[in-house]
Amino acid sequence: MNNNKPNLSFWQIWNMCFGFLGIQFGFALQNGNVSRIFQTLGANVDDIPILWIAAPLTGLIVQPIIGFWSDKTWGKLGRRRPFFLYGAILTTLSLFIMPNSPTLWIAAGMLWIMDASINVTMEPFRALVGDNLNKKQRATGYAMQSFFIGVGAVVASALPWMMTNWFDIANTAAAGQIPDSVKYSFYFGAVILFVAVGWTIVTTKEYSPKELAEFNQQDANASEQVIENKVNFNKGALIFIGLGVAVLALVVGLKLEKELYLLSAGLISFGVIQFIAARLKATGKTSGGFYQVINDVFTMPETMKQLAWVQFFSWFALFAMWIYTTSAVTSFHYGSSDTSSVAYNNGADWVGVLFAAYNGFAALAALCIPLIVKKIGIQWAHCFNLILGALGLASFIVIPDPQLLIWPMIGIGFAWASILSLPYAMLSTSVPSHKMGVFMGIFNFFIVIPQLLAASILGLILRHFFDNQPIYALLLGALSLVFAAIAVLRVKQS
């Protein structure tokens, strides 16, 4: 690969990644408060996971589409920056509207819109680092994004608390009404998001497609035609639809957990998508974005296929942690599963502190990761950080004092910062620059699929094998991180 892009200065990289601070404000406010909004508007606890399915499904659909479009866009604002701007405008409006939703169904619809808007802004940010930085600086660029993700998550997660305790804004409201502390947090986050993304748009230059092709001779000679694959889409469609129907029959016949309907729907949907691709291929209609994205899924570089396993096991572990840490800590360390008890609520509050802590440690870890990469190489660095995360999750079952759980957050913070940076740095050196956006979007599949799988099967595993004790979900997460650490050592980089 003939890549002669000049080194960018620290502040150029800082400016290029600063928009991620705003994006994380949007994500953190969504993750920390949407369930509260749903419950306030009348949702039952059992309904919340279904309402939340919008988030991963939206990313699964939106990111490859935006990646494909941004690869082929060039205008006055450049290649990626138009999507930063339009996505930021939509997200800002969504953050103002969401806490003012009058009914549950409007709030659920706003979650779809808000998550789609955030994804429109976020996906090209990953591709921009690959566009603007040479191979040696990409780990630094993605680590800088991790730094802003950590800082944004800590501040945004604490906003409702700060609004109440620092500015004396009401944290309660009448039944069916969203508290002012939540509303003002969303308003403040909306402003920060727009300003931060706008800063990147104004201060960052993009290379034109011609310049990128000159940097990479492979792309200069690359054909824009679709690379045909030898995959039999019809055969794949039959296999996946058959598996989906079989799972559905088992769930209905054996009266298994309703979460498995999600697994069945996912298998059948992927089968239908392959049927559509087969039809388009048979009729010669292969120039459209839909077919090209599906074709790229099956013709992705070998390095990307190997990194897919790293991402799969990493994000399965993360989703297990996000879903079950509160119930694990409250039941195992505080001895209560009664949501109205003082012990439970003290434990839940402490989990909020632990989550803020690992995001804070991730911001610090992001500063260390480029140095670790220089010392031991990018694959061993990611392996090391994943093992730290595995040790952190596993230690929950051997540390009885909940106050001491702050220390495992260091390892989890290093793993989190590494997961958000190093796989993308490895990926960006293995895909052609003229398809950087679409492959970054497809890479998101291996974040969403393990989340959907975890939502489908983790509850079943705990009920049938671990006496429904959530602490063992964290052990399963630790084991999954170990698998990811092993998988990254098997990645063959170009």
Side-chain angles (χ1 to χ4, degrees):
M1 182 178 290
N2 180 25
N3 193 326
N4 298 312
K5 293 175 190 171
N7 285 334
L8 299 188
S9 69
F10 171 84
W11 290 111
Q12 285 175 308
I13 299 175
W14 174 281
N15 291 335
M16 182 173 61
C17 298
F18 187 73
F20 241 99
L21 176 72
I23 292 171
Q24 191 56 38
F25 261 77
F27 267 127
L29 286 168
Q30 172 183 292
N31 292 341
N33 297 281
V34 166
S35 292
R36 180 179 184 177
I37 291 172
F38 285 160
Q39 285 185 282
T40 301
L41 295 175
N44 295 321
V45 174
D46 290 343
D47 295 331
I48 289 177
I50 299 300
L51 294 170
W52 263 105
I53 288 299
L57 284 181
T58 303
L60 186 69
I61 297 167
V62 170
Q63 288 212 23
I65 295 173
I66 295 301
F68 176 81
W69 284 346
S70 69
D71 283 339
K72 299 182 178 298
T73 295
W74 185 257
K76 291 182 180 179
L77 272 180
R79 190 185 196 186
R80 315 293 181 187
R81 288 179 295 169
F83 296 91
F84 298 166
L85 177 60
Y86 303 142
I89 292 172
L90 290 173
T91 307
T92 300
L93 293 174
S94 299
L95 286 168
F96 274 102
I97 296 171
M98 181 68 176
N100 292 294
S101 300
T103 61
L104 178 60
W105 71 268
I106 291 178
M110 284 308 306
L111 176 59
W112 282 87
I113 296 171
M114 184 165 62
D115 203 81
S117 303
I118 293 174
N119 275 288
V120 169
T121 309
M122 182 184 71
E123 198 285 331
F125 263 96
R126 299 290 192 192
L128 181 65
V129 171
D131 291 343
N132 280 14
L133 296 182
N134 59 42
K135 181 178 178 180
K136 291 182 179 180
Q137 287 194 308
R138 285 177 183 172
T140 301
Y142 288 114
M144 184 71 77
Q145 288 187 350
S146 296
F147 170 77
F148 284 120
I149 288 171
V151 172
V154 171
V155 177
S157 297
L159 273 178
W161 182 90
M162 289 190 289
M163 291 291 175
T164 300
N165 291 276
W166 293 0
F167 302 104
D168 200 29
I169 296 173
N171 194 39
T172 57
Q177 299 295 315
I178 311 301
D180 285 344
S181 61
V182 175
K183 289 184 178 181
Y184 287 117
S185 295
F186 272 72
Y187 302 159
F188 181 77
V191 173
I192 293 297
L193 184 144
F194 191 79
V195 170
V197 174
W199 180 265
T200 291
I201 293 172
V202 171
T203 60
T204 300
K205 172 185 176 294
E206 289 189 78
Y207 293 116
S208 69
K210 182 180 178 181
E211 289 173 311
L212 288 173
E214 290 173 353
F215 285 132
N216 190 329
Q217 193 61 40
Q218 174 187 338
D219 280 355
N221 298 326
S223 170
E224 289 297 323
Q225 296 179 352
V226 177
I227 300 173
E228 292 296 338
N229 64 70
K230 297 181 180 180
V231 174
N232 186 330
F233 287 121
N234 284 320
K235 180 180 178 181
L238 290 172
I239 291 173
F240 276 91
I241 290 176
L243 287 173
V245 171
V247 171
L248 181 61
L250 287 173
V251 174
V252 174
L254 300 178
K255 297 181 180 179
L256 299 177
E257 284 76 357
K258 63 181 180 181
E259 294 92 337
L260 290 174
Y261 285 118
L262 182 62
L263 178 60
S264 173
L267 292 169
I268 293 173
S269 298
F270 189 56
V272 171
I273 287 170
Q274 290 186 73
F275 261 137
I276 297 172
R279 179 62 180 169
L280 292 172
K281 185 176 181 180
T283 57
K285 298 177 181 178
T286 59
S287 60
F290 177 87
Y291 180 82
Q292 290 194 39
V293 170
I294 300 304
N295 188 76
D296 286 335
V297 170
F298 288 93
T299 59
M300 69 179 73
E302 193 64 28
T303 299
M304 187 173 173
K305 294 178 183 177
Q306 294 163 346
L307 283 169
W309 289 106
V310 180
Q311 291 293 85
F312 178 88
F313 288 117
S314 298
W315 285 89
F316 186 92
L318 289 171
F319 210 58
M321 179 182 73
W322 293 333
I323 293 175
Y324 286 105
T325 298
T326 297
S327 54
V329 169
T330 52
S331 61
F332 187 82
H333 296 89
Y334 284 81
S336 177
S337 297
D338 179 3
T339 57
S340 63
S341 69
V342 173
Y344 178 91
N345 284 284
N346 286 340
D349 288 345
W350 183 238
V351 170
V353 174
L354 294 178
F355 276 27
Y358 89 71
N359 279 291
F361 288 130
L364 298 176
L367 304 177
C368 303
I369 284 174
L371 302 177
I372 300 173
V373 170
K374 287 182 180 179
K375 288 290 184 182
I376 62 176
I378 193 167
Q379 286 170 262
W380 279 105
H382 194 45
C383 176
F384 173 74
N385 292 327
L386 291 172
I387 292 297
L388 287 180
L391 292 173
L393 282 178
S395 66
F396 271 63
I397 201 168
V398 297
I399 297 178
D401 185 351
Q403 301 303 310
L404 296 180
L405 293 177
I406 200 75
W407 299 110
M409 295 299 107
I410 298 175
I412 293 171
F414 267 82
W416 176 230
S418 194
I419 290 167
L420 292 174
S421 56
L422 297 189
Y424 295 96
M426 286 184 272
L427 174 67
S428 64
T429 63
S430 68
V431 299
S433 64
H434 71 285
K435 285 194 170 185
M436 186 72 70
V438 69
F439 277 124
M440 286 290 179
I442 291 172
F443 203 48
N444 187 59
F445 290 176
F446 310 114
I447 294 174
V448 174
I449 291 171
Q451 292 184 50
L452 296 176
L453 184 64
S456 300
I457 69 170
L458 267 177
L460 182 147
I461 292 173
L462 291 181
R463 283 189 285 271
H464 291 281
F465 297 100
F466 297 105
D467 197 26
N468 214 22
Q469 297 185 52
I471 191 69
Y472 289 101
L474 303 187
L475 280 181
L476 291 173
L479 183 62
S480 190
L481 285 179
V482 171
F483 288 152
I486 295 170
V488 75
L489 297 180
R490 298 174 61 85
V491 174
K492 295 179 181 178
Q493 291 188 270
S494 58

